[in-house]
Amino acid sequence: MNPGTQFTLERPTTGEVLGTLTVTGTDLFTVRGTFDATPAFGPYRALFEEDARLAHQLAQDPDPALMERAEAVLDGLLALGLVLRGAGGRGHRQFLLGIEGREAGFRLLSPEEEPL
């Protein structure tokens, strides 16, 4: 993915656009970028912050209780049914997304997924 490529983060069930992710680079499996939140992101910010906090903790401590909590937070994020929509309106439903402040990264769970 090229730097400068933009995706909108959307919650189709409510019609909300939560923000825009602008690609700054890629790693082996992860696309990195900046995230510019809209006011609609506010109610979801705490869930993403908790996800980031737990990811940092798990990197230092593989405690099973922490892992359970992280999985519960991930389930909450996935339950939102978010879509990353790129140029031309094409979108993806199956991805992992981390947002920490203005930094973001995502990884498609099914690269062969047919874009929306």
Side-chain angles (χ1 to χ4, degrees), residues 6-104:
Q6 291 191 325
F7 292 86
T8 56
L9 180 62
E10 303 172 5
R11 186 155 190 224
T13 57
T14 62
E16 296 169 303
V17 174
L18 305 182
T20 302
L21 190 148
T22 303
V23 174
T24 57
T26 58
D27 294 333
L28 187 57
F29 297 108
T30 304
V31 177
R32 303 248 177 250
T34 57
F35 182 71
D36 293 305
T38 66
F41 184 69
Y44 310 103
R45 183 177 303 279
L47 191 57
F48 280 95
E49 287 174 353
E50 179 72 356
D51 180 59
R53 186 183 68 72
L54 288 167
H56 288 294
Q57 282 185 299
L58 280 168
Q60 302 300 316
D61 180 6
D63 177 37
L66 275 177
M67 181 61 82
E68 268 186 49
R69 178 69 184 131
E71 287 172 352
V73 170
L74 177 59
D75 288 345
L77 287 171
L78 294 174
L80 294 174
L82 301 177
V83 170
L84 275 175
R85 194 170 307 281
R90 295 177 53 161
H92 295 278
R93 290 185 192 272
Q94 298 178 19
F95 58 89
L96 293 176
L97 172 67
I99 298 172
E100 191 170 359
R102 285 207 61 234
E103 301 297 315

